[in-house]
């Protein structure tokens, strides 16, 4: 998988980022809760910025100093969660 497979995401070899706007604050928090479950299952955690109903996700494998396949997979899972909540 590559960044080209994730049209909602942008970035480079060090970090990929996606912003998602949800219908309301509680919808945004529900997405964060669902992403937290997936992140724990994967043992791979994104940085998440919450601004009312707008979420910004940042994925990078800090131990590798770059984006890895784990980041792309987490991004794909985040996309599924956002699509199901919006």
């Amino acid at each position: 998988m590559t960044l080209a497979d994730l049209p909602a995401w942008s970035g480079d070899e060090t970090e990929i980022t996606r912003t998602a706007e949800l219908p309301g604050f509680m919808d945004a928090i529900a997405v964060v809760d669902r992403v937290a479950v997936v992140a724990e299952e994967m043992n791979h955690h994104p940085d998440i910025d919450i601004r009312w109903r707008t979420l910004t996700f940042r994925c990078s494998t800090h131990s590798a100093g770059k984006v890895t396949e784990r980041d792309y997979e987490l991004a794909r899972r985040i996309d599924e969660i956002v699509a199901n909540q919006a």
Side-chain angles (χ1 to χ4, degrees):
M1 184 178 303
T2 68
L3 191 56
D5 299 315
L6 301 164
W9 293 77
S10 62
D12 57 28
E13 66 277 351
T14 61
E15 179 181 83
I16 57 174
T17 304
R18 179 202 174 148
T19 299
E21 188 169 309
L22 283 298
F25 179 73
M26 294 307 294
D27 300 297
I29 296 304
V31 166
V32 170
D33 286 344
R34 291 180 63 203
V35 168
V37 170
V38 168
E40 278 295 299
E41 288 172 357
M42 293 180 67
N43 192 29
H44 195 63
H45 305 88
D47 293 332
I48 304 171
D49 181 62
I50 305 168
R51 306 288 171 144
W52 181 41
R53 62 187 186 127
T54 303
L55 304 174
T56 301
F57 299 96
R58 289 181 176 81
C59 296
S60 179
T61 303
H62 301 291
S63 61
K66 64 181 183 176
V67 175
T68 66
E69 189 62 35
R70 295 179 76 198
D71 299 298
Y72 293 125
E73 178 59 23
L74 180 56
R76 186 190 66 75
R77 302 277 301 271
I78 290 170
D79 282 350
E80 290 176 353
I81 292 166
V82 169
N84 289 329
Q85 187 69 32

